[in-house]
Amino acid sequence: MASTTLMYRRALRTLREQPLLVRCTAAAVVAVLVIDLAALGAKSGTSDSSHNTAAAGRRSTVAAGAQPTAAGSDSTGSDVRSAPAGAAGGTGAGDGSPVGGTALGGDFGGPPPDRPQLTASDRGVTETTVKVVFPWFDIGAYTSASGTTTDEPLEGGPDAITAYVNYINATGGLDGRMIDPIIEEFNPLNETDMEERCRRWTEDDKVFAVVDSQAWHSSHQLCITADHQTPLVTNLGLAEKWPQDGAPYLWYTAPTSEETIDDWVLWMVESGQLIDKDALPPGTTPSVIGVVTGVKEEEKLGKAAIERALDKVGLLDQARFREIPGYTADIGLAQPAIATAIADFKTPGNKVDRLLMGLSALVFTTWMNQADAQDFYPQYELSDFNNTITVADALLASDHPKSLKDAVGPSYIRLGEVSPANGGTFAPAQQRCNEIWRAANPNAHEIDGAGVAMRWCDNIFLFAEGARRATRTNSGVLTRQNWAEAMATIQGVEAGMSPTLSFSPGDYSGPTMTKVVKLRTEEQAFCTGRDPADDANCLEEIAPYVPMRRFS
């Protein structure tokens, strides 16, 4: 099965064969996002015309005949507020229950016959359209720099966006209004350009919302939400500070860092990965816990969350923390810091044997190279914090089998599952996303269960669900405020990336469950169908989904 995970793995193998300058440049492009590298906006075989337009900076794509001509201007220029949306609960659309069933991506059907006449009710909202930006990160710059090529068609950001937007518009739209998409490629290395795009989208284009997959990062999330009062749906969950500061407009289809870390630490204690020295039998040597994080603001907040969690389980005095600098152009700063940290972690009599890894992709890769060079092989504890599980899986494809063997941790993502291509089954939400993807791209493979198209499917349908609820609950009026109020009523819907998403007022992060996966270096049956070179490296599900663990 073609997947962005495999694409990234192949890229890593090719990258290591390139000159140092090329390796650093290419890796920097990928690592800057501190996200699941397997899910960045990889380009598939899009048409020449769509690629050229996207590369020029702006592209709007809808199905032929699906987009009506607006009778009025694209924006009223006003900031209309309505009464709060209806309370959650009930069984029918518009009363807080999922529209079209319990799975995101269900058939929307058409608008109800008693729908009132729609009007232009907010910035970016006309009587017929809702203007939405879909920014995607083109990983082609990375593959071009590294010399990586692929022999199979891969999922792509523009193709996925177009497929799901067209489907919604062809099945009733946002309760009668069609999505008017602006599909833009952007470079996350260019901070100035990201700031300008945020300003242009919200002030010049006057869009209603921004829907991202997993690439619009760091303080740029707050530029859209806090600074410009514009909704943003993204799969890039950061520290709780971000959605709180951007409230009520920043909504995550991933856990926050604090949610991930609470679940991670409590699972490690629950499973015996970490044991309080006072609970050990007499004469037993306690674990020395290493914790390695980065220096970006969100990483520092993550480190603080790890400290609090370890303190709550009585393990803080067994932990040794190291912050590693270096991110993109300054990656050279990481190398001496990593060498020093590893040497310290190997101190006789106080050697780290459990390592909580929280580094972003490029720094994590640099760490692993140094660890192999210094023969440092602790048990790696991984999680969705900086997406270390998926990054480690990619690294294991070509290197570090001794280091990463049996690395383990919890994840909200449907990892380690057998796809239909290999004899497995999709959950209903996954299957719906797959059917829409395949219908729009007949020559494509089955959708990657944790890939680019699945993330776009989740986020686009989640945004649409909020818009339809807000419209129905407010007599046809759609505003940014009542959209946010409607989002808070979405409870217990099934998504493609995760079993359930639930929100509420003040709770802007949807996932509610995690499973446990382990990296294995021996061949496993569920790896069949991948690139043969990767068959011996895979993630194995070792514990099923359970509710996320949180400190009370």
Side-chain angles (χ1 to χ4, degrees):
M1 183 178 85
S3 73
T4 48
T5 301
L6 293 183
M7 182 276 299
Y8 176 57
R9 288 172 167 174
R10 296 187 186 111
L12 279 173
R13 285 198 295 270
T14 306
L15 183 60
R16 291 193 176 93
E17 300 171 359
Q18 306 305 312
L20 178 60
L21 178 60
V22 173
R23 294 202 307 268
C24 291
T25 301
V29 173
V30 178
V32 68
L33 299 180
V34 199
I35 64 176
D36 176 4
L37 301 182
L40 294 177
K43 281 193 306 183
S44 66
T46 55
S47 68
D48 290 341
S49 60
S50 64
H51 170 71
N52 291 339
T53 309
R58 292 179 71 82
R59 173 178 161 222
S60 181
T61 308
V62 293
Q67 178 75 46
T69 301
S73 64
D74 286 342
S75 170
T76 65
S78 62
D79 189 14
V80 180
R81 296 289 183 259
S82 73
T91 58
D95 61 4
S97 61
V99 176
T102 57
L104 285 177
D107 190 349
F108 278 10
D114 59 348
R115 187 195 69 216
Q117 180 66 41
L118 300 175
T119 61
S121 48
D122 197 4
R123 187 187 76 195
V125 179
T126 74
E127 62 270 32
T128 57
T129 63
V130 180
K131 188 181 294 186
V132 183
V133 170
F134 300 92
W136 64 283
F137 169 50
D138 181 10
I139 204 172
Y142 163 64
T143 56
S144 175
S146 67
T148 303
T149 59
T150 58
D151 53 7
E152 300 173 280
L154 297 170
E155 297 172 4
D159 291 337
I161 297 163
T162 301
Y164 299 117
V165 168
N166 285 351
Y167 176 84
I168 290 172
N169 283 346
T171 54
L174 306 179
D175 212 36
R177 295 183 179 93
M178 302 295 105
I179 297 175
D180 176 13
I182 299 175
I183 303 175
E184 287 200 13
E185 174 187 358
F186 76 98
N187 178 5
L189 287 173
N190 190 331
E191 304 283 342
T192 301
D193 181 62
M194 290 184 70
E195 291 173 4
E196 171 56 22
R197 286 175 189 265
C198 168
R199 186 208 62 77
R200 172 163 53 79
W201 295 337
T202 55
E203 297 178 17
D204 297 346
D205 295 338
K206 300 186 185 305
V207 302
F208 178 80
V210 179
V211 178
D212 170 48
S213 62
Q214 198 190 28
W216 197 260
H217 60 88
S218 302
S219 61
H220 302 294
Q221 293 184 353
L222 297 183
C223 175
I224 290 171
T225 56
D227 298 344
H228 291 91
Q229 304 292 291
T230 301
L232 170 63
V233 176
T234 179
N235 194 244
L236 181 51
L238 301 177
E240 289 174 354
K241 176 182 186 299
W242 265 259
Q244 294 299 328
D245 288 351
Y249 299 114
L250 180 53
W251 298 81
Y252 289 157
T253 51
T256 64
S257 299
E258 288 84 354
E259 288 173 322
T260 290
I261 288 163
D262 278 6
D263 181 66
W264 184 25
V265 170
L266 285 169
W267 171 78
M268 285 187 283
V269 172
E270 171 189 299
S271 63
Q273 297 286 315
L274 299 180
I275 302 176
D276 186 343
K277 62 180 183 300
D278 295 333
L280 293 171
T284 304
T285 302
S287 291
V288 179
I289 304 165
V291 182
V292 184
T293 57
V295 297
K296 293 191 69 182
E297 181 181 1
E298 52 262 47
E299 293 174 313
K300 287 180 176 292
L301 291 170
K303 175 190 174 185
I306 295 172
E307 289 176 329
R308 289 193 298 271
L310 290 176
D311 188 37
K312 289 180 178 180
V313 296
L315 290 167
L316 186 58
D317 62 341
Q318 293 173 230
R320 301 167 65 188
F321 289 81
R322 290 293 180 273
E323 288 187 349
I324 305 299
Y327 196 58
T328 53
D330 60 349
I331 187 62
L333 297 174
Q335 296 172 349
I338 289 172
T340 299
I342 291 175
D344 182 44
F345 282 175
K346 291 178 62 178
T347 303
N350 198 27
K351 184 176 180 180
V352 166
D353 56 3
R354 297 280 177 182
L355 185 59
L356 279 60
M357 177 55 64
L359 293 175
S360 59
L362 178 57
V363 190
F364 188 4
T365 303
T366 307
W367 174 280
M368 295 306 303
N369 291 334
Q370 291 270 11
D372 280 352
Q374 296 189 44
D375 295 323
F376 178 54
Y377 302 115
Q379 168 67 44
Y380 280 84
E381 307 289 345
L382 307 174
S383 72
D384 292 322
F385 178 49
N386 265 347
N387 298 275
T388 56
I389 286 180
T390 48
V391 173
D393 185 36
L395 291 173
L396 186 61
S398 57
D399 211 344
H400 315 299
K402 187 173 181 179
S403 291
L404 291 174
K405 177 180 170 62
D406 293 335
V408 65
S411 176
Y412 77 98
I413 305 172
R414 297 183 193 267
L415 300 172
E417 297 181 3
V418 184
S419 76
N422 302 324
T425 58
F426 274 148
Q430 290 179 301
Q431 183 57 32
R432 173 61 68 177
C433 292
N434 182 56
E435 289 173 356
I436 297 169
W437 168 252
R438 295 293 302 279
N441 300 277
N443 296 325
H445 292 273
E446 297 283 346
I447 195 172
D448 183 349
V452 174
M454 192 69 78
R455 291 178 197 267
W456 279 114
C457 185
D458 274 1
N459 293 358
I460 290 171
F461 275 109
L462 180 65
F463 165 78
E465 184 115 345
R468 295 195 75 211
R469 291 188 184 203
T471 301
R472 293 189 179 186
T473 311
N474 292 278
S475 301
V477 173
L478 174 62
T479 69
R480 285 162 283 158
Q481 182 66 36
N482 68 32
W483 175 87
E485 291 163 351
M487 286 288 290
T489 71
I490 296 175
Q491 302 245 337
V493 296
E494 182 191 74
M497 294 291 294
S498 188
T500 59
L501 296 176
S502 286
F503 303 92
S504 62
D507 179 5
Y508 305 101
S509 170
T512 64
M513 306 181 79
T514 59
K515 61 164 63 177
V516 183
V517 292
K518 177 187 286 188
L519 272 69
R520 301 294 297 271
T521 54
E522 57 267 26
E523 187 170 348
Q524 298 291 309
F526 63 81
C527 289
T528 59
R530 287 184 168 187
D531 181 350
D534 297 330
D535 279 352
N537 307 286
C538 53
L539 283 165
E540 175 188 9
E541 179 183 318
I542 62 172
Y545 276 109
V546 298
M548 290 183 71
R549 307 156 185 86
R550 291 302 305 266
F551 290 102
S552 58

